[in-house]
Amino acid sequence: MNAIRIALLGAGTVASGVVKVLDRNREEIRRRAGRGLEIVAVAARNHAKARAALGEALPLTTDFAALATRDDVDIVVELMGGIEPARSLVLAAIAAGKHVVTANKALLALHGNEIFAAAQARGVMVAFEAAVAGGIPIIKAVREGLAANRIEWVAGIINGTTNFILSEMRDKGLDFATVLAQAQRLGYAEADPTFDIEGVDAAHKITLLGSIAFGVPVQFERTHVEGIAQLEGADIRYAELLGYRIKLLGIARRTATGIELRVHPTLIPASRLLANVEGAMNAVVVLGDAVGATLFYGKGAGSEPTASSVIADLVDVTRLHTADPGHRVPHLAFQPGELADTPILPMSQVRTAYYLRVRVRDEAGVLAEITSILAERGVSIDAMLQRPSGENGAHTDVILLTHDTIEGRMDEALACIQALDSVLEPIVRLRKEELR
Ligand code: NDP
Ligand code: HSE
């Protein structure tokens, strides 16, 4: 059988991994796919850079639109990143009847509904395994492997750059800027690394995972996003003293009133496997009612790990290329007409536990004031720590861990505590998840 014909859009970190791995494992991949996989051309705006990344063998073009719609192309692989021109090129490829493989989580988190609808109408596939957790086949696992389950929650370390930064800062005491520069050199970071640091990249990914887990349309605008830029070394140390590690977690949880979709730094017990995921590694825990907890671990970023997922998609598309579109796996795991309108909960309705650090004047009665404000709102305290802070220990850090409560109630309590005369600085509030 003739090889399936592939067009690559973009010639950067991931594209170079795809070219290398396809070349190195050509015969194994052909035996799996049932036919060869051939890259017919690569679109790149800077050919000198593209040659350095991909070698001399592949034809290059600067005409992205022409390549995305070329008659002899079966699959278009979008590895440019960003929204435009990626969105227009993907839609043009779909309109021209091409299958699409993309690693672009930003594009799908913002425009996935439009793109999947266009693909459905045209009878083509859009595959995106590499868009979530790099080399870990988490999309396939949730969409296919766990199809029997009612999924209760998904929680994961799904941004390699921030996990690398947190690990290096904790283990080696390196500063934020030095570690970020390393992550960029290693090809982990997004073109705009603020997407990593501010939690936006993880939010793109948890948005997609939430849709697949619960069968709802993609709703990035309703996902709560907080990154690690404000995180202080003191809180990493206090968390350790209390038996916790801080990780940037993406969480998607089903509740009786709606779905929680959130990304924020989170304290998790140091004994959990997830707490021990270090460097650029990613890990995702999925709790299904039948299977129980499942853990998926692996490289979440980098050239060849991400290429591994892109090529897995290419093999899938090649195998299903001639199948009746009605017999293919739906993009969001549930049949397009079966997506639910379950609401995504606002953060004020999310139920979780908290870590609070309150810097106070060291005087009688302060602790009682704080705890009574919490008690009046039904917030119960789980653990407490007090440490001198400031020059010569002039002040005191009161660190509290609470049991679960509703975020709106915690917001009210924090506003009252912040207004106390004895409270000297903005209160640090982090969320805590036991992940049982
Ligand atoms: P790179 O920045 O390394 O490569 C992007 C490529 O696309 C470059 O060739 C770049 O050209 C080209 N490109 C970008 N924007 C344009 C544009 N407007 N017009 C023409 N060409 C453009 O990115 P990565 O390979 O790291 O990432 C590619 C995709 O994969 C992104 O969506 C990213 O989020 C995703 N991804 C990346 C992972 C990683 O570990 N790197 C992991 C998982 C997903 P030029 O060099 O001239 O800028
Ligand atoms: N910038 C992303 C990360 C790449 O650090 O996880 C993988 O999606």
Side-chain angles (χ1 to χ4, degrees):
M1 201 184 286
N2 291 341
I4 198 128
R5 295 170 65 81
I6 297 163
L8 274 192
L9 308 182
T13 305
V14 181
S16 73
V18 169
V19 169
K20 272 187 213 134
V21 177
L22 267 182
D23 196 38
R24 190 169 71 231
N25 300 340
R26 177 167 307 282
E27 188 48 22
E28 296 261 323
I29 292 167
R30 185 198 63 73
R31 286 169 56 215
R32 290 192 172 107
R35 56 200 282 199
L37 272 60
E38 182 193 346
I39 298 174
V40 294
V42 181
R45 58 186 168 189
N46 179 336
H47 285 193
K49 211 167 151 188
R51 284 274 168 246
L54 310 180
E56 299 298 323
L58 293 169
L60 298 179
T61 173
T62 48
D63 194 340
F64 286 69
L67 182 59
T69 54
R70 212 168 97 172
D71 281 348
D72 63 344
V73 165
D74 301 306
I75 309 175
V76 171
V77 182
E78 184 276 306
L79 297 173
M80 304 165 68
I83 304 301
E84 287 294 351
R87 172 180 159 276
S88 301
L89 290 167
V90 163
L91 289 171
I94 290 169
K98 315 297 176 197
H99 303 289
V100 171
V101 172
T102 177
N104 193 337
K105 53 267 169 157
L107 177 66
L108 294 181
L110 272 71
H111 298 283
N113 298 325
E114 176 192 24
I115 289 169
F116 297 140
Q120 180 72 22
R122 192 65 175 79
V124 296
M125 291 171 270
V126 175
F128 54 100
E129 185 62 68
V132 181
I136 307 176
I138 187 68
I139 301 287
K140 198 173 189 71
V142 176
R143 195 162 57 181
E144 299 174 47
L146 299 178
N149 288 263
R150 178 183 160 88
I151 292 174
E152 301 299 336
W153 53 260
V154 179
I157 295 170
I158 45 179
N159 182 266
T161 302
T162 45
N163 204 50
F164 181 73
I165 292 173
L166 290 175
S167 306
E168 295 287 291
M169 283 174 73
R170 192 175 63 83
D171 292 349
K172 301 187 183 152
L174 295 175
D175 67 272
F176 192 96
T178 306
V179 189
L180 172 59
Q182 273 183 34
Q184 287 178 290
R185 268 198 306 280
L186 291 164
Y188 303 153
E190 294 303 297
D192 177 356
T194 56
F195 271 41
D196 297 293
I197 292 153
E198 299 294 350
V200 176
D201 176 72
H204 290 148
K205 294 167 180 167
I206 200 67
T207 300
L208 294 170
L209 275 180
S211 289
I212 289 169
F214 305 124
V216 294
V218 179
Q219 295 165 76
F220 175 70
E221 68 288 355
R222 302 221 164 108
T223 303
H224 176 82
V225 193
E226 273 175 52
I228 63 164
Q230 314 302 327
L231 203 57
E232 293 182 37
D235 298 306
I236 296 175
R237 288 191 294 278
Y238 288 141
E240 295 242 31
L241 285 175
L242 289 158
Y244 290 83
R245 294 233 173 118
I246 301 179
K247 295 288 184 186
L248 185 71
L249 279 198
I251 299 170
R253 176 179 281 143
R254 183 200 295 274
T255 77
T257 49
I259 293 168
E260 297 177 3
L261 274 183
R262 48 192 169 105
V263 168
H264 47 67
T266 312
L267 274 77
I268 46 181
S271 56
R272 296 277 181 277
L273 288 171
L274 217 49
N276 295 286
V277 172
E278 301 289 13
M281 303 306 279
N282 279 196
V284 183
V285 181
V286 185
L287 184 74
D289 65 340
V291 72
T294 51
L295 172 70
F296 302 86
Y297 171 82
K299 288 188 179 160
S303 180
E304 291 203 9
T306 311
S308 166
S309 287
V310 171
I311 295 170
D313 277 347
L314 287 171
V315 170
D316 263 1
V317 172
T318 303
R319 286 170 176 159
L320 291 169
H321 177 59
T322 52
D324 178 336
H327 296 160
R328 293 179 186 147
V329 182
H331 295 112
L332 291 177
F334 292 71
Q335 298 298 334
E338 299 289 340
L339 293 183
D341 59 2
T342 318
I344 309 298
L345 294 176
M347 207 52 200
S348 59
Q349 289 177 31
V350 161
R351 190 173 183 82
T352 184
Y354 294 87
Y355 161 101
L356 306 176
R357 171 162 61 83
V358 194
R359 187 155 288 180
V360 295
R361 253 195 292 277
D362 193 4
E363 54 194 29
V366 176
L367 190 57
E369 281 183 314
I370 294 173
T371 53
S372 68
I373 289 171
L374 290 169
E376 279 158 20
R377 283 154 190 85
V379 180
S380 148
I381 293 168
D382 180 30
M384 207 205 84
L385 191 69
Q386 196 169 323
R387 285 288 183 275
S389 66
E391 266 185 42
N392 305 321
H395 310 133
T396 296
D397 276 344
V398 174
I399 299 105
L400 298 168
L401 297 184
T402 76
H403 289 291
D404 281 1
T405 187
I406 298 293
E407 178 122 344
R409 213 176 285 167
M410 180 54 79
D411 289 342
E412 279 175 33
L414 289 184
C416 293
I417 297 171
Q418 191 70 69
L420 294 173
D421 283 344
S422 48
V423 173
L424 301 169
E425 290 182 12
I427 298 167
V428 173
R429 173 251 300 268
L430 298 170
R431 295 159 189 102
K432 174 172 88 70
E433 294 286 341
E434 294 296 326
L435 301 177
R436 291 202 175 88

